[in-house]
Amino acid sequence: MTLPAATRPLQVLVLGGDGIGPEVTAQALRVLRHMQAKHGLALDIEEQPYGNATWRATGHLMPAATHAAVERADAVLFGAADSLDRAGMPAEERARGSLLTLRRRLGLFANLRPVRTERALDEVSPFKPRTLACVDLVFVRELSGGVYYGEPRGIERDADGRRRGINTHIYDEDQIIRAARFAFALARGRRGVLTSVDKANVMEAGALWRQVVTALHHDEFRDVKLDHMLADTCGLMLNRDPKRFDVILTDNLFGDVLSDAAAGLAGSLGMLPSGSLSAPRPDGRRRALYEPVHGSAPDIAGKGVANPLAAILSVALLLRWSAGAEKVAREVEAAVTAALDAGARCADIALPGEAVLGTAGMGDAVLARL
């Protein structure tokens, strides 16, 4: 599913971010620039500072030049954010430059998290090869609502001085319809099966979720097979029978947790890309942010050992969804598969005793196949 090409170059902003983010993003950017040159892609790529190191150097998590670049950007290639390392940062600065704020500024509502198994990594996964064979699913995580944005929220003290944390899980039907319509359309272009995941048995917002998705299916998408599944059951079935899934639609929290749990199927979080999309604008383009699913991994930051494949596969999503270059996206994905088939491994996807590549070495291995 691709978008029509626009007449002006695609504005791509690169933000390395925190921890291993700059390291893996550097390899993804190498691939993006290579494909731009090879295929003559109309991309205008700029890099700007962002993250905790930027705050320590400038006093701003996202400096003014970066804020301006965000406003210009059609697509952001993002590394990682380490929100746990911001204890000394003023609350206003944390909020102004947070990843949640960035998603809101870009109007992102649909988070795509594809999970596809590579046969070369069967022995790395904790699952049996027969469970892994032909797994090709994608999560559509609603990204604008739910417990991450709901109010009230915070930590407060009650009358007896005891602290309590408050987060509010809230959805309106417009948010649900928008995400569900996107997911149904995506499923229609794949195998035609949508699994909608909720906790309708114990959560009122989950009950509304199920009602709205059911009504939309009846009105607009009867040609797509719809299954409803509770979130805990979905977690179990991802372990027992992942091949049954095509498109999984779920809310912000469950989508975050379940898609991370599904990394075991792919062998590592270092193999999972993601793309977050806005509604189409008048020129037909969606604003978007592409990033690996893994976090900033501060324990290995700066060591040059992080796996860049999730970031490189995020470039494939950028090429597909923002540049409208489906064949080029598939070329990148095929190069990743070819590198793995040839034995290229980073530490997170290597068996004991296997030779491992560093971050740049894995970038070299993919580029060699391109």
Side-chain angles (χ1 to χ4, degrees):
M1 186 174 182
T2 57
L3 299 176
T7 55
R8 62 176 177 79
L10 186 78
Q11 303 296 307
V12 179
L13 171 62
V14 181
L15 303 177
D18 300 317
I20 63 171
E23 300 170 57
V24 298
T25 303
Q27 302 310 310
L29 184 55
R30 289 176 68 197
V31 170
L32 181 60
R33 290 193 185 279
H34 177 86
M35 303 312 281
Q36 178 187 23
K38 180 177 180 180
H39 294 281
L41 300 176
L43 307 178
D44 186 356
I45 303 171
E46 68 171 309
E47 300 180 69
Q48 290 290 344
Y50 169 85
N52 296 341
T54 302
W55 174 71
R56 287 190 289 271
T58 69
H60 298 287
L61 188 63
M62 188 184 294
T66 307
H67 279 285
V70 169
E71 293 305 311
R72 294 190 298 270
D74 298 307
V76 178
L77 181 61
F78 189 81
D82 183 7
S83 58
L84 295 178
D85 191 31
R86 296 177 183 170
M89 191 180 297
E92 181 179 345
E93 186 63 31
R94 286 202 307 271
R96 187 166 180 261
S98 73
L99 182 57
L100 292 180
T101 300
L102 181 59
R103 289 170 176 168
R104 179 174 284 169
R105 283 180 64 186
L106 294 170
L108 310 179
F109 75 92
N111 178 225
L112 301 175
R113 295 190 169 193
V115 180
R116 183 169 62 91
T117 53
E118 297 278 0
R119 298 319 305 266
L121 298 182
D122 278 358
E123 294 302 315
V124 177
S125 172
F127 297 95
K128 295 178 180 178
R130 67 172 181 265
T131 301
L132 298 173
C134 302
V135 171
D136 181 6
L137 61 91
V138 60
F139 286 88
V140 175
R141 168 190 171 194
E142 199 292 322
L143 202 62
S144 68
V147 71
Y148 293 164
Y149 289 102
E151 297 288 348
R153 62 183 294 154
I155 298 174
E156 62 181 32
R157 291 187 182 274
D158 63 19
D160 295 325
R162 290 171 298 196
R163 292 186 300 166
R164 60 183 178 185
I166 300 172
N167 291 93
T168 303
H169 182 76
I170 183 170
Y171 268 105
D172 63 50
E173 61 181 335
D174 289 344
Q175 290 173 311
I176 301 168
I177 288 171
R178 182 171 61 171
R181 183 174 283 126
F182 179 92
F184 274 120
L186 182 62
R188 180 179 276 164
R190 287 171 51 93
R191 300 198 304 274
V193 180
L194 178 73
T195 305
S196 179
V197 174
D198 56 48
K199 283 293 286 183
N201 56 335
V202 293
M203 297 172 66
E204 285 75 11
L208 176 65
W209 182 283
R210 186 169 294 205
Q211 293 166 17
V212 170
V213 172
T214 300
L216 184 65
H217 176 252
H218 179 271
D219 293 343
E220 299 182 23
F221 295 98
R222 295 193 195 185
D223 57 312
V224 176
K225 183 179 184 295
L226 171 64
D227 295 320
H228 292 288
M229 189 174 288
L230 297 176
D232 43 358
T233 303
C234 182
L236 173 63
M237 297 312 297
L238 283 167
N239 289 318
R240 295 193 61 182
D241 187 19
K243 290 189 290 292
R244 68 176 290 160
F245 295 112
D246 180 18
V247 176
I248 300 175
L249 166 68
T250 190
D251 71 19
N252 211 341
L253 176 61
F254 294 142
D256 191 0
V257 174
L258 290 170
S259 61
D260 277 17
L265 297 167
S268 168
L269 271 175
M271 294 299 300
L272 296 189
S274 77
S276 302
L277 306 174
S278 76
R281 293 177 296 173
D283 64 0
R285 284 178 172 161
R286 299 175 186 265
R287 303 194 81 188
L289 184 146
Y290 301 93
E291 59 179 321
V293 169
H294 63 68
S296 61
D299 56 321
I300 59 171
K303 297 180 180 179
V305 299
N307 185 350
L309 291 182
I312 290 171
L313 290 169
S314 295
V315 164
L317 292 179
L318 185 156
L319 292 167
R320 173 173 291 120
W321 284 93
S322 289
E326 176 65 28
K327 290 183 179 179
V328 184
R330 292 188 182 188
E331 191 176 340
V332 172
E333 291 164 346
V336 169
T337 296
L340 293 171
D341 288 345
R345 299 288 186 273
C346 285
D348 64 318
I349 52 172
L351 294 172
E354 281 188 318
V356 298
L357 298 173
T359 309
M362 182 61 86
D364 292 340
V366 174
L367 283 165
R369 273 75 190 173
L370 290 171

